[in-house]
Amino acid sequence: MRVRGHPVLGEPPRGREVTIYLDGRPLSAREGEPVAAALFASGIRIAHYTGSGEPRGPFCMIGRCTECRMLLEGRGMVLTCLTPVEEGMRLRTPGGGKA
Amino acid sequence: MNLHEESRPLVVVGAGPAGLCAAMEAAGAGLPPLVLDEGSQGGGQLVKQIHRFFGSREHGAGKRGFEIAVELVSGCLEGGAEIRLGHRVLGFFRDGRLLVDGGEGVFLLRPGATILATGAVERSFPFPGWTLPGVMGAGAAQTLVNLHGVLPGKRALMVGAGNVGLIVAYQLLQAGMEVAGVIEVSRRVGGYLVHAERLRREGVPLFLRHRVVAAEGGKEVESVLVEDMETGALKRFLVDTLCLAVGMAPQAELAAMRGCRLVHVPELGGFLPWHDREMRTDHPGVYVAGDLAGVEEASVAMDEGRLAGLAAARDAGVLDPGKAAARMREIGARLELLRGGPFGEPRRRAKERLCSLPGSARGREDGDRVRRKGRLKKR
């Protein structure tokens, strides 16, 4: 979910609406926002599964905890909290069965 | 391997309030800095602070954090500093060189002097379910709502009634989330009462002497089990988000890699590089400032940054020692004020203890003893 009509910030400036793909599924995102934020906006909080199959999601949002890591086609494993959204980027949930 | 290498008179690691103020001060004194930060915006954690700051004019009182961030960045650039964002410092070698990942490959920097202003990282603690998606640092939730305009979930429970927990709980409400409550293990609110009062007015209950037993859910947080520590009674909160505001730890990795002596100071967040009152570590040419030098507030970070910038410029021989001393006295007096009052006093005493440990060879032995004992000896 996105914040609407914030009492202090109003309507935050957002980038152009683009489409990204998560495990092949199209999602709406805003250009330039961190991938992790775009996923939260779509209600997706699982970034990857551990070797033993436990789900993990973003914990720190500033590039330290590495829990938000996902596979970005053409780039390999990335920290989604620091990776800006680009039109058409294809992400995969490592350990999610489709990776 | 032959890596590209650049020489710089001064490199500042971290473009938060401490790093930017250090850079501005050094630039003003004639030592042009290169500032590196792994984020995509300068200002560090100020960029997500939407409440108005207390303090004095020098600390941007009355302004909101993100406004101060913009001012600091433009002040740096106007002063002649170069800021490179999206640059992550991976290593700080014993020979003084830095290994930097600029996104399109790594390179080396050979700084004349280095100011580390790497900040702090949120602490966590283990409990069943602590790795479930939906459990996150309070600062992470704050980053999501205030910086990215995205909600981490629908309904949150906050752990910790210090300033971070209270402020972020209120900001989650402002952003449109429900907040089921704030729980706190101690008997009293740790943060300013003005923040607690705001939450009470919004009908958010505060549960003192309560602790998290478990975060529950199949693949994400669906509920949180909490225990009343007085009666042993259990409560279950139906929330999808559990925010932890249980303190910060200095990010001392780079300082440790360089070989700087680390000291454990519980009041300031744990292990941090030893430094003197001018923010000099035990390694000549290596300075620290901000939360890395002890977790305090942004206002303190700004002034410590200024001290580090002045010390670096003076030690490099570009700033007259008399001028540096005068300006440092002025800043030192402000820091005393910032550390006054019941919240600042323990930090002021801890800093005093830390700075008075000698930085000489004998001091280094002291440091080793301190490290073995695991905490700074009380005087």
Side-chain angles (χ1 to χ4, degrees):
Chain A
M1 279 245 299
R2 291 193 185 270
V3 178
R4 300 269 173 236
H6 194 285
V8 175
L9 301 168
E11 287 299 322
R14 299 191 198 275
R16 182 170 70 97
E17 191 168 344
V18 296
T19 302
I20 60 174
Y21 298 88
L22 174 64
D23 300 320
R25 192 177 126 213
L27 290 175
S28 161
R30 298 300 184 129
E31 196 171 49
E33 72 182 350
V35 168
L39 297 179
F40 270 110
S42 291
I44 293 156
R45 309 198 298 179
I46 298 173
H48 67 273
Y49 291 85
T50 63
S52 51
E54 290 173 33
R56 294 290 163 88
F59 179 82
C60 81
M61 286 302 294
I62 54 170
R64 299 258 58 96
C65 74
T66 72
E67 292 288 64
C68 68
R69 64 186 182 272
M70 299 181 90
L71 267 172
L72 174 56
E73 275 183 26
R75 289 265 301 274
M77 203 71 93
V78 296
L79 297 183
T80 55
C81 74
L82 292 183
T83 306
V85 162
E86 288 166 30
E87 167 97 70
M89 60 179 12
R90 306 186 82 87
L91 294 146
R92 283 188 283 165
T93 311
K98 292 173 201 128
Chain B
M1 189 163 59
N2 272 327
L3 289 176
H4 171 70
E5 183 172 318
E6 285 175 49
S7 287
R8 292 287 181 146
L10 173 64
V11 173
V12 179
V13 183
L20 291 176
C21 284
M24 221 184 305
E25 206 69 47
L31 191 66
L34 168 64
V35 186
L36 303 171
D37 195 286
E38 64 194 351
S40 55
Q41 248 178 300
Q45 304 315 307
L46 284 174
V47 298
K48 63 187 185 190
Q49 311 294 342
I50 62 169
H51 59 281
R52 293 186 197 280
F53 272 56
F54 305 152
S56 64
R57 190 172 53 82
E58 287 81 1
H59 307 116
K63 289 181 198 152
R64 303 184 192 275
F66 62 90
E67 297 166 338
I68 301 173
V70 170
E71 284 183 10
L72 293 181
V73 169
S74 53
C76 264
L77 296 175
E78 281 160 23
E82 183 190 347
I83 303 177
R84 289 197 206 165
L85 300 171
H87 281 62
R88 193 176 180 117
V89 178
L90 302 174
F92 193 4
F93 301 115
R94 301 268 161 148
D95 66 6
R97 289 185 299 173
L98 295 161
L99 181 69
V100 184
D101 181 356
E104 279 152 19
V106 295
F107 61 95
L108 288 163
L109 279 175
R110 186 182 285 280
T114 308
I115 298 176
L116 296 174
T118 48
V121 62
E122 291 194 277
R123 284 184 184 282
S124 182
F125 65 100
F127 50 87
W130 71 314
T131 58
L132 276 176
V135 178
M136 65 178 71
Q142 189 185 32
T143 301
L144 277 171
V145 296
N146 292 347
L147 187 58
H148 305 309
V150 168
L151 301 178
K154 291 191 176 70
R155 187 172 152 85
L157 181 67
M158 179 66 68
V159 181
N163 277 324
V164 173
L166 297 174
I167 291 173
V168 174
Y170 187 74
Q171 292 180 353
L172 293 178
L173 286 177
Q174 285 183 308
M177 258 181 105
E178 288 175 44
V179 179
V182 178
I183 66 168
E184 164 63 50
V185 290
S186 92
R187 276 170 220 288
R188 45 186 293 258
V189 169
Y192 293 116
L193 289 177
V194 53
H195 297 311
E197 214 31 63
R198 271 172 149 189
L199 281 173
R200 280 211 184 96
R201 280 204 300 275
E202 295 292 331
V204 175
L206 197 61
F207 300 94
L208 299 175
R209 294 291 289 152
H210 279 64
R211 69 176 188 101
V212 173
V213 175
E216 306 164 318
K219 284 187 163 185
E220 299 182 33
V221 176
E222 291 162 21
S223 58
V224 176
L225 197 60
V226 168
E227 183 194 36
D228 180 333
M229 294 160 75
E230 297 293 333
T231 64
L234 295 173
K235 290 187 180 77
R236 179 168 281 115
F237 290 87
L238 296 179
V239 294
D240 60 7
T241 305
L242 180 62
C243 293
L244 307 181
V246 294
M248 317 274 284
Q251 292 204 80
E253 293 88 344
L254 288 177
M257 248 188 258
R258 177 69 180 83
C260 294
R261 166 175 158 222
L262 299 185
V263 190
H264 192 258
V265 190
E267 301 93 322
L268 295 171
F271 277 101
L272 52 97
W274 176 85
H275 56 275
D276 65 12
R277 285 175 187 79
E278 300 179 349
M279 312 313 295
R280 296 183 296 189
T281 68
D282 60 335
H283 282 53
V286 181
Y287 307 79
V288 288
D291 279 352
L292 165 65
V295 176
E296 299 190 67
E297 305 161 5
S299 320
V300 170
M302 291 183 220
D303 273 339
E304 284 194 345
R306 291 177 182 123
L307 288 177
L310 288 167
R314 181 205 53 204
D315 296 347
V318 300
L319 177 63
D320 171 68
K323 276 188 192 159
R327 178 105 176 93
M328 282 178 173
R329 269 198 301 278
E330 182 191 314
I331 296 167
R334 278 207 312 258
L335 277 170
E336 280 288 305
L337 283 178
L338 283 172
R339 292 179 178 132
F343 287 102
E345 189 55 25
R347 289 186 274 121
R348 192 189 63 77
R349 279 201 305 266
K351 203 82 176 185
E352 197 63 24
R353 254 179 17 244
L354 173 74
C355 293
S356 60
L357 282 175
S360 61
R362 197 188 134 262
R364 217 161 286 170
E365 282 165 29
D366 279 354
D368 290 342
R369 198 178 68 230
V370 163
R371 206 178 315 178
R372 272 201 306 277
K373 286 181 70 177
R375 57 188 296 144
L376 185 64
K377 204 171 129 201
K378 295 231 160 102
R379 301 207 308 162

